[in-house]
Amino acid sequence: MNETIKSQLNHRTIRKFTDQKIDPDTLKTLLEVANMGPSSSGMQKCSIIRVTDQGEKEAFAKIGKQDYMADATELFIFIIDCHRNYQIASEEKEENQEMKGFDKFFEGLCDCIIASQNLVVAAESLGLGTNYFGNINNDPQQVIDLLKLPKLTYPAIGLGIGYPGQSPQLKPRLPLEAKVFENTYQDFSSYHDLLKDYDEIMKTYYDLRDTNKKTETFTSSVINKEAHKTPLGKGMYQALLAQGFLPDI
Amino acid sequence: MNETIKSQLNHRTIRKFTDQKIDPDTLKTLLEVANMGPSSSGMQKCSIIRVTDQGEKEAFAKIGKQDYMADATELFIFIIDCHRNYQIASEEKEENQEMKGFDKFFEGLCDCIIASQNLVVAAESLGLGTNYFGNINNDPQQVIDLLKLPKLTYPAIGLGIGYPGQSPQLKPRLPLEAKVFENTYQDFSSYHDLLKDYDEIMKTYYDLRDTNKKTETFTSSVINKEAHKTPLGKGMYQALLAQGFLPDI
């Protein structure tokens, strides 16, 4: 167990930051760490947009329906970028339809999340706090317009960074036995017994935490968040098509 | 600059491992780090399959068309898992079609790559080497059959881990100015000038590296890998539909 792993096991989402700015050298180092992450076939299909305009941050907070998004000290949007390589190939008259396939979109998303999580670990190792914003995909088309994204790009995820202005409790995870299997997928015919202890742990966690206390277990949160809640990301596949990706080729 | 960041900036893909095994406590720690990564709305739509069966490893090497995949000391396959929560909701008679949407698939892929990259950083901090295998999606249906994946799951990425048996050169990345923008996407009308230096750097890298020397620049590798090479991941979208995801709802 070293400092890196200690910091990783201590991860929690930070939704409130202090006023302290992040100095430009630190910011540059974090972006270099994002850039040094592995990428699919070395094709680097990720771009990053740093949102510094306060009006734009507020627009994001509206799309994401999370006010605190506007208060993130730094806000980065990671972009699946198949446009750059398409353009590079075009200049040599070598582009083709296959550069627009679903596999390329999928690889671009992997590149983006590898870069963002690399940045998260680096930031946390420096005492910074982070907050992913998957909620940018509540309305991908609006994000595409806001960021002026060209064809063959797509918003992957947002990330807020700053110095922590809160110290939330660690959020317990499903036990490894529920998610790590050997050689083949282990299909539990029922999760009732497996989740009994974890549901209790989560009930205590929700009940005792400092902010947003509620009566909830993992099971009830799955129902509330994934089944009952009207999904906001309904336009994602349509936006993907509108951006020129061709899943079916 | 601390040890975490130093290690991250020193990342390189390791394709050859020594015979040294990874002890079970270390392995457990690495999986716990994967498990502690952030996940979309806390829904934890990632499972991990540890491949220990040598025959199965060889089957993966065949699918991936990379012999060394069979020699990875540890081989993990990260699985987009929307099945678990669907099943949990079903037991309460609360499941619905929206739990099969493209947004859920996308969130599951983000969860998987956050977990895998968290594991990569932890492993490298301990002196281990890693190798992503995106090539499992050369033939997703075969992987689904091999791992006996139920509906609403999908293979995200493979990851090999072991003690490094090689010490490859650092692979230079595109300069930050080509991929980090402010407030809106920066669409270069031409990449020729921007890539001139980087193409030279990559030419020297390919020419001087110890293994698999070739005459290549970034521009030529984009053309060779993304435009000319017959894509192997063509069945990805079809496999997604066959696994029961409903992108269009």
Side-chain angles (χ1 to χ4, degrees):
Chain A
M1 179 87 71
N2 57 26
E3 290 305 312
T4 301
I5 290 174
K6 244 186 252 174
S7 170
Q8 289 180 290
L9 290 177
N10 200 32
H11 162 78
R12 46 206 91 191
T13 297
I14 299 299
R15 292 180 175 81
K16 196 175 167 354
F17 301 110
T18 69
D19 289 338
Q20 191 184 341
K21 299 283 170 235
I22 304 173
D23 78 81
D25 282 352
T26 301
L27 219 51
K28 185 156 180 274
T29 300
L30 293 178
L31 289 167
E32 274 164 1
V33 169
N35 199 21
M36 263 316 286
S39 90
S40 184
S41 302
M43 291 291 99
Q44 307 181 59
K45 294 196 284 277
C46 165
S47 288
I48 302 175
I49 298 180
R50 181 184 175 209
V51 181
T52 56
D53 180 87
Q54 192 55 33
E56 191 174 316
K57 278 188 177 180
E58 280 157 20
F60 270 113
K62 233 178 182 175
I63 293 168
K65 299 187 194 298
Q66 287 180 329
D67 287 347
Y68 52 82
M69 206 170 167
D71 302 328
T73 313
E74 292 288 340
L75 178 62
F76 292 108
I77 313 290
F78 289 76
I79 307 293
I80 298 170
D81 193 345
C82 299
H83 165 78
R84 182 168 47 238
N85 291 353
Y86 190 85
Q87 175 66 26
I88 290 169
S90 298
E91 290 183 50
E92 310 292 329
K93 304 206 187 319
E94 297 275 11
E95 82 283 11
N96 63 26
Q97 294 295 81
E98 283 163 349
M99 295 183 78
K100 304 177 178 180
F102 185 69
D103 52 327
K104 299 291 182 272
F105 175 86
F106 191 99
E107 290 168 1
L109 181 51
C110 292
D111 286 1
C112 282
I113 306 300
I114 286 172
S116 67
Q117 184 58 18
N118 229 21
L119 198 159
V120 162
V121 175
E124 291 182 346
S125 79
L126 295 170
L128 288 157
T130 63
N131 188 356
Y132 273 113
F133 294 112
N135 61 9
I136 59 168
N137 271 313
N138 286 352
D139 190 341
Q141 192 55 55
Q142 217 181 314
V143 173
I144 287 162
D145 296 343
L146 197 60
L147 298 176
K148 303 196 196 309
L149 296 185
K151 298 276 170 186
L152 300 184
T153 63
Y154 194 94
I157 207 157
L159 183 68
I161 313 176
Y163 287 94
Q166 61 180 182
S167 178
Q169 286 83 347
L170 269 187
K171 191 172 189 177
R173 299 297 196 265
L174 278 164
L176 288 182
E177 62 188 291
K179 18 164 97 163
V180 182
F181 315 126
E182 195 165 339
N183 292 320
T184 54
Y185 188 89
Q186 189 181 345
D187 196 353
F188 297 93
S189 56
S190 164
Y191 285 88
H192 258 305
D193 291 349
L194 193 69
L195 289 181
K196 204 173 273 175
D197 291 347
Y198 183 58
D199 271 344
E200 274 307 310
I201 291 168
M202 288 305 289
K203 198 170 159 184
T204 307
Y205 162 79
Y206 282 122
D207 187 44
L208 293 183
R209 69 181 183 176
D210 297 332
T211 57
N212 197 15
K213 280 186 206 297
K214 48 187 169 180
T215 305
E216 190 84 276
T217 62
F218 183 70
T219 297
S220 73
S221 72
V222 164
I223 291 165
N224 290 332
K225 288 181 179 166
E226 299 225 274
H228 284 186
K229 202 172 149 194
T230 309
L232 292 159
K234 275 193 154 190
M236 291 177 72
Y237 183 68
Q238 281 68 30
L240 177 158
L241 297 179
Q243 283 301 91
F245 289 100
L246 304 172
D248 243 339
I249 64 157
Chain B
M1 179 86 70
N2 57 27
E3 289 304 313
T4 300
I5 291 174
K6 242 186 255 174
S7 170
Q8 289 180 290
L9 291 176
N10 200 31
H11 162 77
R12 46 207 90 191
T13 297
I14 299 298
R15 293 180 174 81
K16 195 174 167 352
F17 301 111
T18 69
D19 289 338
Q20 192 183 342
K21 299 284 169 234
I22 303 172
D23 77 83
D25 282 353
T26 302
L27 219 50
K28 186 156 178 276
T29 300
L30 293 178
L31 289 167
E32 275 163 1
V33 169
N35 198 22
M36 265 315 287
S39 90
S40 184
S41 302
M43 291 291 100
Q44 307 180 60
K45 293 195 284 280
C46 165
S47 289
I48 302 174
I49 298 179
R50 181 184 174 208
V51 181
T52 56
D53 181 87
Q54 192 54 34
E56 193 173 315
K57 279 188 177 177
E58 280 157 21
F60 270 113
K62 231 176 181 178
I63 293 168
K65 298 187 195 299
Q66 286 180 329
D67 286 346
Y68 53 82
M69 206 170 167
D71 302 328
T73 312
E74 292 288 340
L75 178 63
F76 291 108
I77 314 292
F78 288 77
I79 307 293
I80 298 169
D81 192 345
C82 299
H83 165 78
R84 182 168 45 238
N85 291 354
Y86 190 86
Q87 175 67 24
I88 289 169
S90 299
E91 290 183 50
E92 311 290 332
K93 306 210 185 316
E94 297 275 12
E95 82 282 11
N96 63 25
Q97 293 296 81
E98 282 163 349
M99 296 183 78
K100 304 178 179 180
F102 185 69
D103 52 328
K104 300 291 183 274
F105 175 87
F106 191 98
E107 291 168 0
L109 181 52
C110 291
D111 285 1
C112 281
I113 305 301
I114 286 172
S116 67
Q117 184 58 17
N118 230 20
L119 199 159
V120 162
V121 175
E124 291 182 347
S125 80
L126 295 171
L128 288 157
T130 63
N131 187 356
Y132 273 113
F133 293 112
N135 61 10
I136 60 168
N137 271 313
N138 285 352
D139 189 341
Q141 193 54 54
Q142 217 181 315
V143 172
I144 288 162
D145 296 342
L146 197 59
L147 298 176
K148 303 195 196 314
L149 296 185
K151 298 276 169 186
L152 301 184
T153 63
Y154 194 94
I157 207 157
L159 182 68
I161 313 176
Y163 287 94
Q166 60 180 184
S167 178
Q169 285 84 346
L170 270 186
K171 192 173 187 175
R173 299 296 196 265
L174 279 163
L176 289 182
E177 62 187 292
K179 18 164 97 164
V180 181
F181 316 127
E182 197 166 339
N183 292 320
T184 53
Y185 188 90
Q186 190 182 344
D187 198 352
F188 298 93
S189 58
S190 163
Y191 285 88
H192 259 305
D193 291 347
L194 193 69
L195 288 182
K196 203 173 273 176
D197 291 347
Y198 184 58
D199 271 344
E200 274 306 309
I201 291 168
M202 288 305 287
K203 197 170 159 183
T204 307
Y205 162 78
Y206 283 121
D207 187 44
L208 292 183
R209 70 179 181 178
D210 297 331
T211 57
N212 197 17
K213 282 185 204 298
K214 48 187 170 182
T215 305
E216 189 85 277
T217 63
F218 182 70
T219 297
S220 72
S221 72
V222 164
I223 292 164
N224 290 333
K225 287 182 179 166
E226 300 224 274
H228 283 187
K229 201 171 149 194
T230 308
L232 291 159
K234 276 193 154 189
M236 289 178 74
Y237 183 68
Q238 282 67 30
L240 178 159
L241 297 179
Q243 283 301 90
F245 289 101
L246 304 172
D248 244 339
I249 63 158

